[in-house]
Amino acid sequence: MLEQLDQIEEKALTSLNDVDSPDALEKWRVMHLGRSSPLMQIFDAIGQVPKEERPLIGKRANQVKRSLETRLAEREEALRQEELHQSLQTERLDVTLPGRPAGRGRLHPSTMIHRRISAILEEMGFQPYLSRDVETDSFNFQLLNFPLHHPAREMQDSFYVAGGFPIGESSENDPVLLRTHTSPGQIHAMRELAASDPQNPPSVRIYLPGMCYRYEQVTARSEFQFTQVEGLAVGKHITFSDLKGTLEDFARRMYGQFVRTRFRAAHFPFTEPSAEMDIECFVCNGAGCPVCKRSGWLEVLGSGMVHPVVLSNGGYDPNVYTGFAFGMGPERMAMLRHRIEDIRYFWSNDLRFLEQF
Ligand code: DAH
């Protein structure tokens, strides 16, 4: 039996040299270490061997078994290494190749002009105030001194929200709509500040940026969605010259030191008196051209002294407080600046347009 064991070992180890794949290795394992392999048959037969010989045979059988198992593990590892080596050869990766550059994003032209406007207004001491996009008729119109059925509402055709929206104040006579301008934020901001000290409300110096919506036919000059930046200053001795000085300073910071401005009388229900500010056309320097429709001037914003009705709706006593407000259209300003001839480019997400900025 001992001899038999020697043969088993030799035969198995010799044939292991021919094993060259994981499949073949598994076959080898079954053949030489499996349940019905010659080695296992020896283990089964040990019981019939005379008692004195058993320890010796048992010991040798175990030795052979361990030797086969060890070589099996070695061979397995060797095959794995070989396979790895093979795949490194065939699937070679050149890590020194330069990478593909990731496309760099950029800001939307509307975002850029907003940042510029915000930076200027903040330098001038105005703080940002964010107000809601969904409004009630009261805030969008009535509290701003647009009475119900007043023709001035026709300047701002509106998207009404069917069935209203549960934002507290809405009711049947007070429908909900998407704000048509940022001016309703004036009332929200004044009320919030006045609530902090109703007897002696703090002065206000804020700007309100945001999206506005109008039920307009979409054309090259008007979109149903656009942004505005509103400004509001309320205090005890604010006059029209503060309004003029502030807006002229704004224009200089925005368009350069030598920009010329002019104020024209206008009408808005929430300001009295009201004015529109023009800047001298920077395409023709005031000589007249198609961009300024031959007038030499470009309209950039609406403004005025806050109407007493609006002040008191905001919680500020118009006998004590005065203020000025203004509202500008950043897309319009960007259009003038970059001579963009169609406002629809702003929200159509055409990369050929967006990538020019
Ligand atoms: N809300 C006005 C509009 O959308 C713009 C405006 C004009 C705002 C005069 C103001 C202002 O604050 O004083 O047409």
Side-chain angles (χ1 to χ4, degrees), residues 261-297:
T261 53
R262 82 174 178 187
F263 284 78
R264 267 181 303 104
H267 168 76
F268 301 103
F270 38 90
T271 45
E272 180 58 35
S274 306
E276 278 170 339
M277 184 170 85
D278 296 341
I279 60 165
E280 192 173 64
C281 178
F282 39 69
V283 177
C284 61
N285 290 323
C289 71
V291 173
C292 58
K293 295 197 224 118
R294 317 239 156 258
S295 69
W297 297 93

Side-chain angles (χ1 to χ4, degrees), residues 70-86:
T70 314
R71 296 292 300 278
L72 170 75
E74 283 169 11
R75 192 82 196 111
E76 199 173 10
E77 178 58 22
L79 283 173
R80 273 236 325 273
Q81 288 297 332
E82 214 169 284
E83 200 182 0
L84 181 66
H85 187 70
Q86 278 278 324

Side-chain angles (χ1 to χ4, degrees), residues 219-249:
T219 68
R221 295 181 60 82
S222 60
E223 255 286 10
F224 62 77
Q225 115 179 36
F226 52 93
T227 65
Q228 282 192 342
V229 175
E230 186 93 7
L232 177 68
V234 177
K236 287 199 173 137
H237 304 287
I238 292 182
T239 65
F240 194 86
S241 29
D242 295 315
L243 161 71
K244 253 190 114 176
T246 302
L247 291 178
E248 277 169 2
D249 189 22

Side-chain angles (χ1 to χ4, degrees), residues 2 5 32 43-45 50 61 69 112 133 140 144 189 214 223 232 248-249 254 276 281 309 325 347:
L2 285 175
L5 279 168
H32 299 284
F43 276 106
D44 292 343
E69 281 169 351
M112 289 195 276
D133 283 30
N140 197 75
L144 290 170
R214 288 189 198 174
E223 255 286 10
L232 177 68
E248 277 169 2
D249 189 22
M254 185 81 193
E276 278 170 339
C281 178
V309 167
W347 314 121

